[in-house]
Amino acid sequence: MNFSKQIAPFKNLVLFFLLVGFILRIVLLFHPITQSHFGFVAILKIFFLGFLSDLLIFIVASAFLWLYLIFLSDSKFNKPWGYVLFGTYLALLIYILSGKTILHEYGGVLPALGIGFVGIKTVLIGLLLFFPKQRKNIRLAVFSITIFIFVLIIIQNAVSEFFFWNEFGVRYNFIAVDYLVYTNTVIGNIMESYPVVPLFAGVGIVALLSTYIIVKKSKGYLDNLPTFIDKIKIVAVYALLFIVSLKMIPVLSNQEDSPNVFTNELQANGIYKFYGAFMQSELDFFKFYETMPNNEAYALLKNQISNIGYDTTLRHIDSDSTETKMNVVLITIESLSAEYMKMYGNEQNITPFLDSLALQSLNFSNLYATGNRTVRGLEAMTLCIPPTPGESVVKREDNKNKFSTASVFKKKGYQTKYLYGGDAFFDNMQDFFSGNGYDIVDKSSIKQGEITFANIWGVCDGDMGNKAIQTMNEEAKTGKPFFNHWMTVSNHRPFTYPDGKIDISPTIKSRDGGVKYTDYALRQFFANAAKQPWFKNTVFVIVADHCASSSGKTELPMDKYRIPAMIYAPGFITPANNNKLMSQIDLMPTLLGLLNFDYDSKFYGQDVLKDDYKPRAFIATYQDLGFIKDNVLTIISPVKQSKQFALKQVDNPKLKEDYRIFYDETLMTTERQDLIKESTAYYQTASDMLTKKKYDVK
């Protein structure tokens, strides 16, 4: 068997991939949105370097194909190895079906995926083992399905790249990553915007015809499978190609250096661009959003935040009273939507402690989370800055030495710590918090004997509450005030927690159970804290990181961003409710105001108790940036688009006026340009501050 036949499936698929890439570049080159002229050198770069890039990308991306082909063998079904292999898969399937695996601990669709994959493998191995006369037919069917999947992905990716180019005029960027996060919204938009049935039917027909041709040309591989020695040679060649490709792909990417953006984008490979966007986690505001001159943006911002500079948010916060250096404990609660609390209309009584605590606190009933991921909430509470396009600053490469709540407290002589019941490596928290002046206390800091319950996310909130008390007792011995930020974990899938603590069994794995257990754990924490000598000199800030769900009828459904927040300190904070419209980024500056701190600030967040505060709030996805003011929700989006919704509160006589969280969002036909400009000014200057490192601690 010659080498060409031994690599026939790979050879035919790579030729198909290169052909699709070539056709796609031709189509994009002549697309109406590609408003540019290309010289000979540019055309050469687009097609020659583009061809090389596609080839190298396919070599890397075809690793799973190689694994599948290499393990095709008749000898492995000889006695006793065939029975050992079948028995191993059968035992693994039974183990997964038992419901006691790590997949079941996490929950969601993972158990079903595990059962499906192992189940299919078990059935196929059984068929190939027990029906040797049908082995070739069975193998051909599986081979054809495998090739079809690869072909379908290649064609579907090309079609997706076309539509992405049609909308944005570029290859994949972070918006494409965002689309994976908001799959339901994106699918809905596609269903409404394109002739989906004819489109998918066309893709399916082309994929089937292409698969037929490739399988026909590659069938000889199945008729005469490579020997063991041949496979070793093939693996050696592929391994060499794989390593060379990994080295050369970034080199070719660096050749996308033309002053003509279209040349660079056409030369690029969309799959690698997607990978780069995923790793970089940023979206260039100045490229994809409507902008204004920076001096104009900062001038507009100055109308909202007084005393800032002409190109920065730096200003001095004065206090006419003596500073109160109390300990501060910030507790961000995982996925605690406002609607889970009784005062916002919940009738399940799943937050009895927090309901009672809110009445003893300075409660903020009109506060909105900046985003719908934990890292957005952590960004808001730590940096007090509006959400900029792309991923949270927490997960970006340039995420250290930022002006933060910790930098303010440290300058006042505080100890600062971040407490997390899981592994702080997750979501880049370790890198972010340690790079911004926090000491880390996470699961690795807890002794095995101190853990009563843990799941895949970490120790339960009850155990972490005990660790928090222990940590604060040690800090209090130093005589220095402390600022501790504790992020809870129990209200998160798989919603498991210690049995017997609440009246909802953990075996149900329900969101209500997760919420109620966290509420229980917080009750125990505060009961324990009240016994400590430092308690009377401590202020507690309790707030959700984000809501439990973000889907709704519009891009930014406001009720999916409203979260509970309160500041509790018996004898220091007078219980009251504040119903001013405010953002998550305002909570810590408001606390600093209550402590009468005198400090230099770069925060966009403001003290909402000051007379000059102008109510507004920020809510966002990774690309849709929302601004709430004057009963209008303004959304600015790529590509340089904006829309506005008039907000009308939905009447609910069962709730007090301060707690009516639902609004009808009606698309406005006549836009308020002043609010669009103000929205742009906030988000543009925030992007400018971060990009130019003006938000760093000097």
Side-chain angles (χ1 to χ4, degrees):
M1 186 178 185
N2 61 45
F3 187 72
S4 178
K5 289 184 178 180
Q6 290 177 347
I7 63 167
F10 172 83
K11 179 184 68 175
N12 293 320
L13 263 179
V14 74
L15 289 174
F16 178 74
F17 183 74
L18 294 173
L19 176 62
V20 170
F22 176 77
I23 294 172
L24 178 62
R25 284 190 175 87
I26 293 288
V27 172
L28 299 184
L29 182 68
F30 290 100
H31 192 287
I33 205 173
T34 314
Q35 298 178 356
S36 182
H37 297 286
F38 304 94
F40 176 76
V41 174
I43 294 293
L44 191 63
K45 287 190 68 178
I46 288 170
F47 287 98
F48 179 68
L49 295 184
F51 169 85
L52 288 179
S53 179
D54 288 352
L55 177 61
L56 298 176
I57 290 294
F58 185 84
I59 289 172
V60 173
S62 62
F64 290 107
L65 174 66
W66 279 109
L67 284 174
Y68 164 70
L69 294 174
I70 288 300
F71 281 99
L72 290 180
S73 169
D74 286 321
S75 60
K76 67 183 179 183
F77 293 106
N78 295 336
K79 293 181 180 180
W81 306 115
Y83 293 96
V84 171
L85 183 64
F86 178 72
T88 301
Y89 269 96
L90 185 61
L92 181 59
L93 178 61
I94 293 171
Y95 173 60
I96 297 176
L97 288 171
S98 71
K100 297 178 181 179
T101 68
I102 191 172
L103 301 178
H104 290 84
E105 183 179 340
Y106 184 80
V109 299
L110 281 182
L113 290 175
I115 291 170
F117 176 76
V118 178
I120 290 172
K121 287 287 292 182
T122 304
V123 170
L124 287 175
I125 290 171
L127 290 173
L128 292 168
L129 175 65
F130 297 114
F131 299 94
K133 292 183 179 180
Q134 298 299 321
R135 190 173 294 166
K136 282 193 174 183
N137 292 330
I138 296 170
R139 185 172 284 150
L140 177 61
V142 175
F143 178 77
S144 300
I145 292 171
T146 302
I147 296 298
F148 175 76
I149 291 172
F150 273 89
V151 168
L152 185 63
I153 291 173
I154 291 169
I155 297 174
Q156 189 63 53
N157 175 70
V159 172
S160 299
E161 285 203 59
F162 169 79
F163 284 117
F164 196 84
W165 187 279
N166 188 61
E167 186 171 356
F168 301 105
V170 295
R171 296 277 194 171
Y172 293 141
N173 56 28
F174 195 79
I175 297 173
V177 180
D178 183 32
Y179 281 173
L180 282 186
V181 178
Y182 299 98
T183 307
N184 291 339
T185 303
V186 173
I187 290 175
N189 182 50
I190 292 172
M191 296 289 287
E192 293 176 3
S193 304
Y194 300 105
V196 173
V197 174
L199 181 64
F200 282 3
V203 168
I205 292 170
V206 174
L208 285 170
L209 289 174
S210 302
T211 299
Y212 174 78
I213 295 170
I214 293 172
V215 169
K216 186 177 181 180
K217 289 180 173 294
S218 308
K219 191 179 176 183
Y221 181 87
L222 299 181
D223 295 334
N224 190 11
L225 293 173
T227 65
F228 181 74
I229 298 299
D230 288 335
K231 287 181 179 180
I232 292 177
K233 294 177 182 178
I234 294 171
V235 169
V237 171
Y238 177 71
L240 178 62
L241 291 173
F242 187 88
I243 294 170
V244 170
S245 298
L246 285 180
K247 295 288 185 182
M248 289 301 298
I249 288 171
V251 173
L252 283 179
S253 179
N254 291 335
Q255 299 305 309
E256 297 160 16
D257 54 1
S258 170
N260 186 331
V261 174
F262 285 115
T263 299
N264 297 331
E265 294 293 331
L266 289 167
Q267 176 187 331
N269 177 278
I271 296 172
Y272 187 66
K273 293 282 284 188
F274 182 91
Y275 169 78
F278 183 83
M279 297 304 294
Q280 187 180 24
S281 303
E282 294 184 46
L283 186 62
D284 189 345
F285 182 92
F286 296 92
K287 182 176 181 180
F288 290 99
Y289 294 80
E290 190 68 56
T291 61
M292 62 183 76
N294 265 349
N295 59 345
E296 183 181 337
Y298 281 101
L300 282 173
L301 187 65
K302 195 166 186 176
N303 292 332
Q304 308 300 317
I305 309 175
S306 58
N307 301 323
I308 65 171
Y310 73 94
D311 67 346
T312 177
T313 55
L314 180 63
R315 70 230 183 247
H316 187 73
I317 307 295
D318 287 310
S319 175
D320 54 8
S321 302
T322 305
E323 289 186 348
T324 307
K325 290 189 177 180
M326 299 178 70
N327 304 313
V328 176
V329 178
L330 166 61
I331 305 173
T332 45
I333 304 175
E334 174 69 49
S335 305
L336 186 71
S337 303
E339 60 186 345
Y340 291 141
M341 294 185 65
K342 186 176 182 179
M343 60 183 63
Y344 294 96
N346 190 286
E347 298 178 353
Q348 305 302 315
N349 194 35
I350 56 177
T351 59
F353 173 69
L354 288 174
D355 288 330
S356 65
L357 193 70
L359 299 176
Q360 304 170 56
S361 306
L362 173 56
N363 189 62
F364 300 93
S365 59
N366 198 7
L367 184 146
Y368 290 86
T370 59
N372 41 41
R373 294 292 182 272
T374 294
V375 286
R376 273 295 186 211
L378 296 177
E379 171 191 81
M381 298 306 300
T382 304
L383 304 183
C384 306
I385 192 171
T388 45
E391 188 55 274
S392 162
V393 175
V394 175
K395 297 187 74 172
R396 296 181 190 177
E397 185 176 349
D398 180 24
N399 66 357
K400 300 174 184 63
N401 198 38
K402 301 301 177 190
F403 186 82
S404 66
T405 49
S407 66
V408 175
F409 281 114
K410 286 182 80 73
K411 207 164 187 178
K412 297 293 182 182
Y414 279 67
Q415 307 167 77
T416 57
K417 286 185 174 65
Y418 178 67
L419 288 71
Y420 181 63
D423 184 349
F425 181 79
F426 178 75
D427 259 350
N428 210 42
M429 288 184 282
Q430 173 96 31
D431 184 61
F432 172 74
F433 282 104
S434 62
N436 284 286
Y438 291 80
D439 294 325
I440 307 295
V441 179
D442 66 356
K443 182 180 178 180
S444 64
S445 308
I446 305 176
K447 297 176 182 178
Q448 194 61 40
E450 298 171 340
I451 300 175
T452 64
F453 181 88
N455 62 19
I456 195 167
W457 282 108
V459 303
C460 63
D461 289 341
D463 289 344
M464 196 61 211
N466 293 334
K467 183 63 179 180
I469 295 291
Q470 183 186 110
T471 300
M472 294 170 204
N473 285 340
E474 292 298 318
E475 290 173 313
K477 293 177 183 178
T478 67
K480 295 174 62 177
F482 55 78
F483 166 57
N484 291 330
H485 183 171
W486 171 22
M487 178 73 223
T488 71
V489 300
S490 290
N491 182 29
H492 197 297
R493 190 175 298 280
F495 306 119
T496 55
Y497 41 84
D499 199 4
K501 303 297 183 182
I502 59 173
D503 57 4
I504 302 176
S505 172
T507 59
I508 298 175
K509 297 183 179 179
S510 69
R511 169 74 71 176
D512 284 356
V515 172
K516 194 163 189 176
Y517 172 72
T518 291
D519 183 82
Y520 164 85
L522 290 173
R523 180 190 293 276
Q524 300 305 113
F525 167 77
F526 276 94
N528 197 352
K531 301 174 184 177
Q532 311 306 320
W534 45 262
F535 178 78
K536 293 182 179 180
N537 190 43
T538 303
V539 182
F540 298 89
V541 181
I542 302 97
V543 63
D545 61 344
H546 58 82
C547 284
S549 171
S550 59
S551 59
K553 296 179 180 178
T554 62
E555 294 95 326
L556 298 174
M558 287 178 53
D559 58 294
K560 301 300 184 181
Y561 286 82
R562 195 168 186 182
I563 55 174
M566 61 195 80
I567 299 176
Y568 171 72
F572 177 67
I573 297 294
T574 302
N577 186 65
N578 185 298
N579 193 40
K580 289 181 182 177
L581 173 66
M582 62 184 290
S583 172
Q584 198 174 22
I585 70 174
D586 299 316
L587 194 55
M588 293 307 290
T590 300
L591 170 72
L592 297 177
L594 289 168
L595 295 174
N596 297 312
F597 273 20
D598 193 280
Y599 64 104
D600 290 329
S601 176
K602 293 184 180 181
F603 293 146
Y604 279 74
Q606 300 171 65
D607 183 349
V608 302
L609 303 179
K610 296 291 187 183
D611 294 334
D612 60 352
Y613 171 69
K614 298 174 182 177
R616 85 285 172 266
F618 309 92
I619 59 177
T621 63
Y622 290 122
Q623 58 171 308
D624 291 321
L625 309 177
F627 180 69
I628 307 168
K629 187 177 181 180
D630 296 345
N631 291 318
V632 174
L633 168 60
T634 302
I635 302 175
I636 58 175
S637 309
V639 177
K640 304 181 186 300
Q641 295 178 341
S642 64
K643 62 174 66 174
Q644 291 180 308
F645 295 89
L647 304 175
K648 182 180 179 182
Q649 192 177 63
V650 177
D651 187 45
N652 186 348
K654 293 182 179 181
L655 299 177
K656 294 181 180 179
E657 182 68 26
D658 285 358
Y659 297 96
R660 296 177 185 178
I661 67 173
F662 293 98
Y663 288 86
D664 283 329
E665 300 179 15
T666 305
L667 186 65
M668 295 169 58
T669 54
T670 303
E671 295 183 336
R672 279 191 56 178
Q673 291 298 322
D674 60 324
L675 291 179
I676 292 176
K677 287 186 175 181
E678 192 173 332
S679 306
T680 302
Y682 267 109
Y683 287 113
Q684 178 176 324
T685 56
S687 297
D688 179 68
M689 290 282 288
L690 289 170
T691 302
K692 296 179 180 176
K693 298 185 179 295
K694 291 189 284 186
Y695 213 75
D696 289 9
V697 175
K698 300 299 184 182

